Amino acid sequence: MTDYTTVSIPKDLAERVDETLEGTSFSSTSDLVRFLLRSIVIQHQKQGSLSEAQFEEITDQLRDLGYLE
């Protein structure tokens, strides 16, 4: 069995994420966050480190989704 931890985000961000999820294969905010974090970790592990361009791309994507200001 997998252990879990909780990550808190502001309610307004959660609402924006819920709107973003409409029409996607993600069924919840948690699904999307797991996918994003897993993608970042896998990319980092494959390359040993992220290039500045890759980091900026991920940052831009997270900002577009409302996770960053």
Side-chain angles (χ1 to χ4, degrees):
M1 186 168 147
T2 303
D3 291 331
Y4 290 89
T5 189
T6 302
V7 175
S8 298
I9 60 173
K11 279 196 171 275
D12 63 328
L13 175 56
E15 291 168 2
R16 289 173 59 195
V17 171
D18 286 343
E19 292 170 5
T20 303
L21 296 176
E22 291 177 19
T24 72
S25 62
F26 298 107
S27 61
S28 68
T29 300
S30 293
D31 285 346
L32 177 61
V33 171
R34 274 192 297 273
F35 172 78
L36 292 170
L37 291 175
R38 191 175 291 123
S39 297
I40 292 168
V41 169
I42 288 170
Q43 188 173 12
H44 177 75
Q45 288 175 334
K46 283 182 179 178
Q47 298 177 355
S49 64
L50 294 174
S51 70
E52 184 68 27
Q54 292 167 322
F55 180 80
E56 288 297 323
E57 180 181 345
I58 292 167
T59 301
D60 290 344
Q61 291 171 352
L62 291 173
R63 187 174 291 111
D64 290 345
L65 290 169
Y67 285 98
L68 302 174
E69 292 183 6

